[in-house]
Every structure is written in C-alpha cells, then in structure tokens.
Amino acid sequence: MAHMRTYRTHVKIGNWNEDLRLEEDAKKEYLEKKERGELAAQKVDFLKQNILRPVNLTVTSDGRLHFGDVVMLVNVGGENRECSAVSINADVNSLMKIPSPGIQAPCGVTAGRAIQACTRTAFIITSVDGSPEGSTLHFEQSFALKTTSGFARGLYLASDVQSFQKCAKKSRLQEVNLEDGSSFLSWWKIVHFDPQERLEYEGQPVPANVKMLVVHCKTNQALAVLGDQVYWTTYGKEYEVTAHTFLDSHKAEQDNNHWILCTSDPAGKGLVLLNHPQSSG
C-alpha cells in the first residue's frame, strides 16, 4: 500500500503576520512597563510599600497633646463597626511621580481597621494660630491635621459645606478629604465629649489618649465614622469618614463622633490605646 504524503503549508491564512507583530509589540510594551514599574500590580505593591511604612507616634511625657505631635485618630468602634483609624484612601490613580513619588491631592480618607501607625494613618497636629511647636493644644483651640511629609506630601485633612456636587460618596453627608495647603477649610478644634463638662474644660490642655470630639471649625460638624457605609479599598473593607454630628436623645454626640488622638506609650509598648482599654469607656 502506497504511503500518502502529507504536505504542510507554511503559508498562514489571513492576518497572521500582523497578529504576530501585534503580539510582539504587546510583549515589548509589557516588558517596558515592567521595567519602569508601571504595571498595575507593581503600582499597588509600590503604593503599599510606601504608604504602609511604619511611623513613630509621639511619646507623650506629660500626658497632653502638643503642636508637632504625630498621632493617630482612632474610633473605638460601636454597634455596627469595629475599632478603626482615619486613613489615607490612596489607590494607584492617586500616585504621582513628579517631582518625587507620592500622593496627589485631593485624596480621599476612610476609616481602616488596621490600627497600625504608618504613613497612611499618621497625622501631625499643626498650628494655625502661631502657637509654637511643642506648646500644648487646648480645648476649642483651632489646629490642622497634616499627613507626614515625603510620600504622603504633607496634605491637610479638610472639609467644606455639603453641596450636591461636594459630598461624601455613600452617605451624601459632608465630605472629608486631604487637600494641598492649609486654609480655613482644614481648621479643626477639640471639644470635650461630654456636653455637660464642655464649659468647664474650655481652654484647658487636651489630654492624649482619651475620648473626645474633633469638630470642623467652619461648619461646626464633628468628624464621624459610618459603620453602615462600607468601601472596598486597596487595603480591604473600610468605613466612610464624614463631618457630621450624630446626636442621641439626650443631645449628646454618639460614638460615631468619639475619637482618641493616640500617641505612643513611653514604655515603648506601642499604642497607649491598646494598653489602656478603659480609655474606650
């Protein structure tokens, strides 16, 4: 029986050459992007590497807050939410390369459940009235909260009157975000959490690591975390942060508005908050 000969043609049908060229171009582009660190996964890694870098909080020797102190703003949680800290909600679209790698303003904030002092959660108590660095912060005194310099670019926690165009994405309440440069929109004040003791504490030094209200000077709305408004971020499931005063039936602010400005423990054991559970009472 004669063997049948099979012939393979080397002529491919259609746009084979063009497809091959496109494939090679895509591969080349991928490798170039990879080399420049521009792939989406690389960008996320780069962002996390920088924004989750540990930061040392200020060690308070006199138990008070001062201008220049590096703190974390922690809400101890409530009925529908866990303990969380005000955090920079930067994703890969927030990155800028020039003049140096960092976060672009405006940038959102959320309340993250990872209570770790890092670039993402550290804020500097900053003077707006000429108070010198190191001097004590007092109840009802205006101040600003600024991110650390470098990657976080020294941006200011700010808010403005709620409008249809400018409001929190989920709750539609007053938006809080990070802006370039200090202005009246980035002025806040500390108010005693108990309305009946407020007058008595006005003008007194603010203690570190106790529950208090952080009130926006322009709109008089208190910083709040919303457990029922959840964002899925680059860092996981987090809560919306807004400026809105939530009052209970006794005209006292609810725990959404209660914040602890955390410093480091003098004994070097990390956050004071975590060593003193009674401060969440």
Side-chain angles (χ1 to χ4, degrees):
M1 187 180 167
H3 285 291
M4 282 181 72
R5 280 194 178 165
T6 54
Y7 292 93
R8 280 213 176 97
T9 175
H10 289 290
V11 181
K12 295 281 183 183
I13 299 159
N15 299 329
W16 180 74
N17 275 333
E18 197 182 332
D19 289 350
L20 189 65
R21 201 190 71 237
L22 287 172
E23 202 178 304
E24 281 171 358
D25 284 354
K27 203 178 282 181
K28 192 177 164 194
E29 192 183 348
Y30 169 85
L31 291 170
E32 281 173 1
K33 275 188 163 182
K34 190 176 177 185
E35 208 169 295
R36 292 196 300 258
E38 286 173 6
L39 298 178
Q42 283 178 306
K43 283 185 183 173
V44 171
D45 285 348
F46 177 77
L47 173 66
K48 285 187 168 179
Q49 202 181 322
N50 283 279
I51 208 165
L52 300 177
R53 190 165 282 155
V55 166
N56 291 324
L57 299 181
T58 299
V59 174
T60 313
S61 51
D62 62 1
R64 295 171 174 178
L65 293 175
H66 311 85
F67 290 101
D69 282 359
V70 182
V71 299
M72 264 180 23
L73 281 83
V74 175
N75 178 282
V76 293
E79 209 177 297
N80 62 349
R81 59 183 199 284
E82 293 172 45
C83 184
S84 60
V86 175
S87 306
I88 303 170
N89 186 21
D91 59 17
V92 290
N93 300 317
S94 318
L95 281 174
M96 60 192 285
K97 277 195 156 182
I98 296 161
S100 59
I103 289 158
Q104 207 167 315
C107 181
V109 292
T110 45
R113 294 172 302 155
I115 313 292
Q116 286 160 333
C118 60
T119 301
R120 195 176 174 232
T121 57
F123 289 87
I124 303 161
I125 297 173
T126 305
S127 168
V128 297
D129 62 3
S131 296
E133 186 122 337
S135 62
T136 307
L137 176 69
H138 296 89
F139 280 102
E140 309 277 345
Q141 182 179 10
S142 300
F143 67 99
L145 287 161
K146 190 167 77 163
T147 61
T148 52
S149 55
F151 189 77
R153 297 216 179 270
L155 303 177
Y156 289 82
L157 194 70
S159 191
D160 200 357
V161 179
Q162 177 189 353
S163 68
F164 183 70
Q165 291 86 5
K166 201 169 173 58
C167 57
K169 285 185 184 70
K170 299 222 176 220
S171 63
R172 318 300 293 169
L173 298 171
Q174 192 175 307
E175 185 182 34
V176 175
N177 61 8
L178 294 166
E179 297 282 357
D180 260 327
S182 177
S183 75
F184 188 45
L185 299 180
S186 59
W187 289 23
W188 302 84
K189 61 183 179 181
I190 300 294
V191 173
H192 196 276
F193 83 95
D194 184 346
Q196 295 180 335
E197 295 193 40
R198 234 158 253 177
L199 264 175
E200 196 185 317
Y201 275 90
E202 202 171 316
Q204 295 295 316
V206 178
N209 309 301
V210 298
K211 206 160 57 170
M212 57 190 70
L213 308 180
V214 181
V215 176
H216 189 240
C217 292
K218 181 182 173 181
T219 59
N220 211 33
Q221 294 291 335
L223 189 68
V225 56
L226 306 182
D228 54 351
Q229 304 295 347
V230 171
Y231 286 75
W232 288 98
T233 73
T234 306
Y235 317 92
K237 180 183 151 188
E238 304 197 332
Y239 307 124
E240 186 163 76
V241 170
T242 179
H244 185 83
T245 306
F246 290 90
L247 297 175
D248 63 19
S249 55
H250 305 291
K251 296 277 191 289
E253 287 79 9
Q254 295 179 18
D255 57 16
N256 306 61
N257 295 127
H258 293 168
W259 297 93
I260 293 172
L261 272 67
C262 290
T263 60
S264 204
D265 187 350
K269 293 177 190 155
L271 287 182
V272 173
L273 165 80
L274 304 182
N275 296 323
H276 298 289
Q278 68 268 27
S279 66
S280 66

